[in-house]
C-alpha cells in the first residue's frame, strides 16, 4: 500500500463524504486558502449519503465506527441547519 494513501475503510468513507459535505457548505479544506462557494443542495445530498451509509451498515459497524458515524452525522446536520436555501431562479414572464 502507498504510505500516502489511507487504508480503504468505513471510517475513510465516512470522512470522505463528510469532507465533501463541508466543502459544499462553503467550509474550506485545510489545504485551501479560499472558501469554496456554498451549494446547499449539494451539501444536503452529501449529508443524506452519510445517513444512507449509517442505515445500510446498521449491525455491521464496530462500536467505535458507530460512535464516529453518529458524531459526524450530528455535526453535519447542525451545520446544514445554518445553510440558506439555494436561491431559486426567477421566472421571467414572456
Amino acid at each position: 500500500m502507498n504510505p500516502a494513501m489511507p487504508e480503504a475503510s468505513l471510517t475513510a468513507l465516512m470522512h470522505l463524504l463528510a469532507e465533501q459535505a463541508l466543502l459544499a457548505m462553503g467550509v474550506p479544506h485545510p489545504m485551501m486558502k479560499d472558501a469554496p462557494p456554498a451549494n446547499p443542495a449539494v451539501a444536503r445530498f452529501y449529508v443524506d449519503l452519510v445517513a444512507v451509509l449509517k442505515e445500510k451498515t446498521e449491525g455491521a459497524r464496530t462500536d467505535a465506527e458507530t460512535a464516529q458515524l453518529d458524531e459526524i452525522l450530528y455535526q453535519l446536520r447542525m451545520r446544514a441547519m445554518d445553510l440558506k436555501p439555494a436561491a431559486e431562479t426567477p421566472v421571467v414572464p414572456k
Side-chain angles (χ1 to χ4, degrees):
M1 173 187 272
N2 182 344
M5 294 299 297
E7 180 181 341
S9 66
L10 180 60
T11 300
L13 182 57
M14 288 187 279
H15 286 281
L16 176 71
L17 293 173
E19 185 175 295
Q20 293 303 307
L22 290 170
L23 287 171
M25 291 179 195
V27 177
H29 185 276
M31 298 182 78
M32 297 172 70
K33 68 178 191 174
D34 295 322
N39 187 329
V42 172
R44 287 184 179 89
F45 170 74
Y46 279 109
V47 174
D48 289 345
L49 281 180
V50 176
V52 167
L53 183 65
K54 179 181 179 182
E55 177 187 331
K56 297 297 183 179
T57 59
E58 194 66 43
R61 297 183 306 267
T62 66
D63 289 344
E65 289 169 336
T66 297
Q68 192 169 35
L69 185 54
D70 287 343
E71 181 63 21
I72 287 171
L73 196 52
Y74 173 79
Q75 293 297 330
L76 289 175
R77 285 176 171 160
M78 291 299 104
R79 280 188 181 252
M81 287 175 47
D82 293 335
L83 292 175
K84 294 182 179 14
E88 293 187 25
T89 307
V91 177
V92 178
K94 293 183 181 182

